[in-house]
Every structure is written in structure tokens, then in C-alpha cells.
Amino acid sequence: MSSKFSTFICQNCGSETSQYFGRCVNCKKWNTIVEEKKTSKSKTTNINKSKTSKLFNEIEIEKISRFTSGFSEFDRVLGGGIVPGSIVLLGGEPGIGKSTIVLQSAGEISLNEKVLYITAEESLEQVKIRWERLNQNSLDLKIYAETNLSFIIQEIKSVKPSFAIIDSIQAINNDEMESSPGSVSQVRTCSSELQQIAKENNIALLIIGHVTKDGALAGPKTLEHLVDVVLNFEGDNIASHRLLRSVKNRFGSTFEIGIFEMLENGLKEVQNPSSIFTNKENISGVTTTITNQGSRPFAVDIQALVNKTFYNNPRRTTTGVNINRLHQILAVIEKHVGIKLSDYDCYIATGGGFEINDPSSDLGVAISILSSLKNIPPSKNCAFIGELGLSGQVRQASNLRAKIDEAIRLGIKNILIPKTTNEIKNNFRDIIQIKEISDINEAMRYALR
Ligand code: TYD
Ligand code: MG
């Protein structure tokens, strides 16, 4: 039994209504509502398979056996490799390199596992040309060029791969539906049908989805609850570095990142990320901090430019640092160091525009600002770690030991940190000079001499 009906779906947030609105009631965006006709099939529910509840100590956990993606950076972001039967959504702007990373990875995986690459955007020849450029040597990777969902499902069922890739979900079409490929309802139904096949056959499925910076293209956002892992591939098309970020992961930590470089013959892992985001120059307005990204700390430069303002409201802009965090740091400096910052414009940028979410970078931001303002370079070969409290005190930083290790690895000689344990101090004695700091004034006196 089937019935046809239409709903109105916001192409930005995916919320559904039964009538047209000029502005989405949920996400408040204008002109994003599109009418989509759906054909719904009444489903028979499976009432034979009822389950009983269990006590925790009766539940046995099978050890997850993962297989490698061929990239250690990719594996780490996934939480240690690909979990059989899991669904991964890889989002990113068009042209960022999603097809490239996945094709390279598929080639590596196919040396040990059965892999099916479904290309809905490019022809077999186009993929082959890319393949040759990537110097891949696997002979066992299967490619299938198709956009029709039912053919794709048939092919998956007959090939029975352990890893399948859909490139991309926006190009897949379920012909039982009248809405066009890429619309929210197409993306949703195609994904949930693919997910069902993957779960039933224990196939690890990687779905590629395009997203633009403002989320203007429909789809991937509305799939996040359906899948086990959501990864974002980021970077700008000009610079060659790409970041793979995990936003959701049922099998590992989020906030992990993997770093790649786009070269002539594909993506290459960057094993020493600190070298990209730091410059080791001793100039006023620039400090180095060690920030946490998932389980891995690495060094990033923080640059500040503080100038007398010509505006009624001083300008404050940031790249890589949250603007509210900057306002807070400026307020702390104003109150506890006693400098009237409302007379100054303040611009902050991190090395390579790297996005910092770790509060322990506050001290680096504050010292950069003071260093630029006073035109005094901070102490040589020094790193700054510590969160700045509202009363000007320097608060504890997470993962401190690993951060100090990373500083040592980079050849940094001095490090300013919050008050710490004797154990940590003894551990690093004679390797790096540790200076414990209790508040912003003490940090400033020490760093800007
Ligand atoms: P692609 O993987 O097609 O992006 P997406 O699937 O996310 O849309 O990447 C396309 C870009 O990558 C394109 O601008 C060319 C560049 N590129 C290289 O620089 N080196 C390479 O080896 C490959 C295959 C692509
Ligand atoms: Mg592509």
C-alpha cells in the first residue's frame, strides 16, 4: 500500500511542516522551504523478534575488531580504524579532497578486504584517471558508477563488500520519490535504506556528503543522528593543508584531528603538525602555545596586533580564536593589569588560522596582546600554557604533561605553566625550564622584560 503526499522541508535544517512558509520556523532562515512530494510505503513491523531486558553483568562485550583505513591519521580520527558494520559520514566543501582521500584509502583497504566504491558523480574513466595520478597499486578495488538507489543496493548485495563508499549521497536518486536528488527527503531516505543494508550485512559504509560553509546545501546535517561517526574534512582551497575532524564518534573520542597535505599525487599525512603552525620567530605580538586536539597536543602560534583606534567602537577580530574568549581576555587585562584597552583595536590570528578550542591558550593570547601593545618581544624560545580566570589568575590546564613533552620535542627551552605538582616538575627538571605562574601580572613581568 502506498500513498502520495507532500511536505514542506527546510533545506537548511531539515525541519518539516505541512504548509509553505517564507521563513523557516525552526532555524529562522529565509527562502529555504521547498515542497517535496513523498511516496510513503506502509511498513510491516517485525513483531516476532521481541527482546528481553538484561542485567548489566549479563551483557558480554565483543571486542571491536577494526581494520585500518591505510592512513594512521585517518585511523586515529576514527578512534583506531574502521569498525565493521559502522556508518561513517564524511562531510566537506566541494573540491576539498573527499573523493581523493577516500579513493586512496579504498585502495589501501582493498589489499586486505573486499571494497566497493560507488561513484555517483564521476564516470569510471574519471575515477581511473584520478586513480592513476594517486599511484595506487591495488588490483582488487571494485568501482561501480551509478546514481539509482535500487541498482546500488542490488550491487552491494551481490558484491558483499566489507567496506563500501557512496560518493556522494547528494547524487543518489530514489526513483520512488518525486523530489530531486540532493533534497533533504532524498538524502534522508537514500541514507536510511543504505544504512539498513549495511547493518544487515555487516558492511562498513562511508557516505560522502557535500556541505558549504554556511550549510546552504541540503542534507548531511540532517543525517548526523543516523550515522555512527561524523567526520568533517576542512581547509581552504588555496592552502594545501587539510584537517580531518571528528564531530561525532560512537567508537572513539571526538575532537580528534588528522592533518594531511594535498600534493600532486594525492593526500599525504602530516606527522609533525607543530611545524606547520609555528614559526619560532621572536617578534613582538607573537607567542607559542601548546593546544590540545583530542588526545594529541601540538604547538600553535598566536599573533596579536594592537593599535590605537580611530573608531568610536574599537575593532576586535579573530581568526582561529573565539571572539567572546578574546573579549573576556581583554576585560581581564583591563581590570587586572590596569590598561585601558578601549582605546585600542585588537586583531588576533593563529598560525595557519588553526582553530583553537582549548582554554589553556588564554595565556598565550594575553601575552601576545600585551607584547604587541608594549612592542616588546616575549622571552625567547618560550611557550605559554594556562587558562585565564576572570580574576586574573592562571588556572589549570588539561593534559599538561603531554603538552610539556610536545614543547620539549620542538626544542622549546622555557615554558610558563599554571602551578603544578612536584612530580611533574621533577620529571622535567634539567630538560626544560619550567616557570609556574599564578596570575597575569606575574606572567607579564616574566615574559615581557
Ligand atoms: P576532490 O577529491 O575531487 O574533492 P571533493 O571530492 O571533496 O569534491 O579533490 C579535488 C581537488 O583536489 C582538485 O582541486 C584537485 C586537487 N587534487 C590534487 O591537488 N592532487 C591530487 O592528486 C588530486 C587527485 C586532486
Ligand atoms: Mg568528489
Side-chain angles (χ1 to χ4, degrees), residues 264-278:
E264 271 302 294
N265 53 354
L267 287 151
K268 196 170 161 283
E269 301 177 86
V270 176
Q271 308 279 4
N272 182 12
S274 292
S275 62
I276 311 170
F277 304 111
T278 56

Side-chain angles (χ1 to χ4, degrees), residues 94-100 117 121-122 130 167-168 208 210:
I96 201 72
K98 300 181 293 300
S99 304
T100 308
Y117 184 107
E121 285 181 4
E122 289 163 301
R130 187 195 300 260
D167 187 359
S168 68
I208 292 180
H210 298 292

Side-chain angles (χ1 to χ4, degrees), residues 89-93 95-102 211 231-235 241-245 247 258-262 267:
L89 175 66
L90 174 66
E93 289 173 49
I96 201 72
K98 300 181 293 300
S99 304
T100 308
I101 189 173
V102 167
V211 271
L231 305 178
N232 277 346
F233 206 34
E234 311 169 352
H241 292 109
R242 302 281 184 272
L243 303 186
L244 187 66
R245 220 180 259 281
V247 204
I259 303 181
F260 297 84
E261 191 173 3
M262 181 66 95
L267 287 151

Side-chain angles (χ1 to χ4, degrees), residues 9-15 23-33 214-215:
I9 303 185
C10 170
Q11 304 294 303
N12 181 51
C13 70
S15 70
R23 187 185 192 190
C24 173
V25 189
N26 184 39
C27 70
K28 312 277 185 262
K29 284 228 171 191
W30 288 95
N31 302 326
T32 54
I33 311 275
D214 59 354

